[in-house]
Each structure stands twice: as structure tokens, then as C-alpha cells.
Amino acid sequence: MRLRSTLAVAATLVLTLSGCGLGSGSTVPLEVGPGSVQPNPALEGVRITVGSKEYTEQVIMGYILEFTLAAAGAEVRDLTGIVGSRSTREAQLSGQVDVAYEFTGNAWINYLGHEKPIPDTREQYEAVRDEDLERNDMVWLEPGPMDDTYALAASPQTVERTGVRTLSDYAALVLRNPAAARTCVDTEFRARQDGFPGMAAAYGFDPARAQTPILQVGIIYQATSDGTECDFGEVFTTDGRIAALNLTVLTDDKQFFAHYNPSVTMKREFFEAHPEIAEVTAPVTAALTNEAITEMNKQVDVEGRDPSAVARDWMVSEGFVTAD
């Protein structure tokens, strides 16, 4: 999904605010050899720039995509770690990034401008696939099973004190006693229609009534667990820190938050030139379950491992590549 900034990865490039914009990318940080992903003659030596947003999960997935294409024989350039969803999207539309994992719900709400998600995951994917191709010449390959969506969470102590276990309970608390519902969010979640304002509308309260301190997402988890700066916090359902900090995810009882299934995306022109990418990446995308990505996120955010090493270790364990 999504739009969080949890660490600065030294090996990644970020979007600069100067006139230079994005760089041309760097080499893939680790080498891999073929496993079940075999060299594909049609991709041999093809220059492919892989991009991602800057938050942990997207950086990991960016490396997974890079290792997949490198094992298939492509000459891969690393442009993971672009700051912000919009910047990453513009990099793709302008051709600075050739391929990237993107999430269906993010595109439906933020790129295509719809206010309400589609509850069925398959229908959501097909709607995004068809509309983004028609409007923007963007191709969406078959999505993976992981579904990384927004949520609010609280510590067990806060849940016990407030009795809040669902978002309807949370909305009632905001209306009754907003001072007891301090909710830490990042800048994008507080502004996005698939974030706090949309959730507030769906659950019937004025978002301005809630106290919403802005923190970096990487800080929100611990702050929510401590309960000092915030009673509730914005989280992502595949983040390993939820379990590590024993946070309770509030039930989205009105099913407001969109589904965020990952898909390899690229411009139509690039896909038509290299359709083999679909075959090469399909089994890897299909293996990206919530359990798999949550464990990888945990290894980076809780255990402090390098995301490129975590991504490669997972691919080796799944037999997709070998470690050179």
C-alpha cells in the first residue's frame, strides 16, 4: 500500500526537490543467480529501471522485483526509495521508472480519483486494470494475495480503558470525548480520501474534531504502544511491529478501507516491448502473502536487517533465485 516512511535506506535513491528530479538509478545491491526464475533470452541485457516508494514494505518489494528480473537476465537499475506515492507514480508515467509494484486500492482512490473502494478484491483489481489502461496506458499484471490496508490500532491498555475495539467504537469516542482519542497519523493519511478524512465521513464524525498529532509512521507504532503521545495510531496491517508491540488492530466494521493487493505495473509501450515480464514475475507475485511480507517487514523494522538482504533471503528460501 502504501505511503509510509519507516527508514532511510542508504542504498536507495530518493526524489530530490531540485530541478534535477530523479537520478538514473544505481546497481542492484546484491547479486543473485537463477533458481526457478530462469534466464529468459528475450530479457537478456534489457535495461529495466525498478522503482518503489520509500517505506519498508515497498523497498523490500522493489528489491524482490529487481532480483526476479536480474535472475531472468535483465540489466536492472535500482530506483527504490522514491519519496511519496505521487512522485513514484509520476516517475512511472514519465518513463523514469519502467516497472514497480503498486497497490490496487491506492490507484483506485488516489490515482483514478474514486471516493469509495470496491469491496471484492478481484473486482477492485479488474476495475483498476481496465481504467488505468484506458486513461493512462498503464498495464497491471495479475495481483498477489497479500492485502496491506490501512487500520487504526491501540495498546491493550488503551483498549481496556476506552472499550474501543471497532472503528464504530472509535467514532463514538471521538464524538463523546475527543481528548481521549488522540490519534497519531502521518501527513498523507490525514489528507487522503482513503485515509482519515474518508474514514471519518464513513463513520459519521468530523475529522477536525479528533486530535491527530502528525508523526513519521516509523515512530507511530512505538508511540501508540507507549500511549504517551497518542491513544490510537495509524498502522498498516502487514507491519511486523503490530505483533512485536502487541498492538490491537481496530475492526473496520463498515469495511471502509480499500483492498491493497500488489501488482507489477508498467507503461503499455514497455509491456508490449517486453511481455515476458509477466511470465517471469507471476510466480513471485503469487507467493507474496500477508504472512510472507509481514515476516519480512518485521525483520527490517524490528530486527534491523537490511531490506535487500531480507528480500534476497526470502527469494532464496522460496527457490526463486540463488545467492551469488
Side-chain angles (χ1 to χ4, degrees):
M1 169 180 220
R2 273 99 34 62
L3 310 171
R4 54 223 195 234
S5 175
T6 56
L7 78 167
V9 182
T12 62
L13 297 179
V14 298
L15 180 70
T16 68
L17 299 179
S18 67
C20 297
L22 291 168
S24 59
S26 59
T27 57
V28 179
L30 299 173
E31 294 185 0
V32 297
S36 61
V37 178
Q38 287 289 303
N40 188 304
L43 293 177
E44 187 69 34
V46 174
R47 292 178 61 90
I48 301 177
T49 300
V50 175
S52 84
K53 301 161 204 174
E54 82 280 21
Y55 62 86
T56 298
E57 183 171 276
Q58 272 269 306
V59 172
I60 291 170
M61 294 173 67
Y63 286 135
I64 287 171
L65 188 52
E66 290 178 3
F67 295 143
T68 301
L69 295 171
E75 184 181 332
V76 179
R77 303 295 291 175
D78 172 23
L79 205 59
T80 53
I82 301 170
V83 176
S85 184
R86 289 286 178 181
S87 300
T88 308
R89 171 73 165 189
E90 288 303 317
Q92 275 205 284
L93 293 177
S94 67
Q96 292 172 291
V97 166
D98 297 315
V99 295
Y101 273 112
E102 185 52 90
F103 292 100
T104 52
N106 186 41
W108 184 249
I109 302 293
N110 292 293
Y111 302 154
L112 300 176
H114 299 281
E115 293 187 359
K116 294 183 178 180
I118 297 174
D120 182 83
T121 56
R122 185 69 194 180
E123 291 178 7
Q124 178 75 93
Y125 161 69
E126 291 176 351
V128 169
R129 177 197 64 192
D130 296 346
E131 186 171 336
D132 210 14
L133 181 64
E134 180 180 353
R135 287 174 52 180
N136 302 302
D137 275 343
M138 288 294 293
V139 171
W140 288 69
L141 303 184
E142 280 293 306
M146 65 170 280
D147 186 359
D148 179 10
T149 190
Y150 280 123
L152 293 187
S155 69
Q157 294 80 10
T158 297
V159 171
E160 182 177 358
R161 184 180 74 251
T162 63
V164 171
R165 290 177 172 80
T166 70
L167 289 182
S168 288
D169 294 338
Y170 169 82
L173 180 64
V174 171
L175 292 171
R176 183 176 69 252
N177 184 7
R182 292 170 306 161
T183 306
C184 291
V185 297
D186 75 343
T187 303
E188 290 201 58
F189 183 72
R190 194 163 81 165
R192 287 165 53 121
Q193 284 309 303
D194 62 339
F196 198 80
M199 183 199 74
Y203 281 91
F205 68 90
D206 182 355
R209 184 176 175 83
Q211 297 182 24
T212 52
I214 293 179
L215 298 177
Q216 291 184 345
V217 174
I219 300 173
I220 290 175
Y221 291 82
Q222 188 64 56
T224 303
S225 177
D226 294 342
T228 52
E229 295 181 74
C230 35
D231 303 296
F232 303 88
E234 162 203 356
V235 298
F236 301 90
T237 53
T238 59
D239 197 297
R241 288 167 293 188
I242 292 174
L245 294 170
N246 195 29
L247 297 177
T248 298
V249 174
L250 305 187
T251 301
D252 182 8
D253 49 309
K254 293 187 178 181
Q255 296 187 318
F256 164 73
F257 288 120
H259 293 290
Y260 291 81
N261 302 109
S263 168
V264 176
T265 61
M266 68 201 84
K267 292 290 286 183
R268 186 205 303 255
E269 181 181 8
F270 192 80
F271 174 72
E272 290 177 347
H274 309 292
E276 300 80 13
I277 291 175
E279 178 183 355
V280 167
T281 60
V284 178
T285 300
L288 285 171
T289 63
N290 272 21
E291 292 75 16
I293 197 66
T294 299
E295 174 58 27
M296 285 187 272
N297 288 337
K298 175 177 173 286
Q299 290 181 38
V300 175
D301 288 329
V302 178
E303 300 172 14
R305 296 193 64 207
D306 182 88
S308 62
V310 169
R312 188 176 70 168
D313 285 353
W314 176 76
M315 295 196 71
V316 170
S317 72
E318 293 290 316
F320 292 125
V321 302
T322 56
D324 278 359

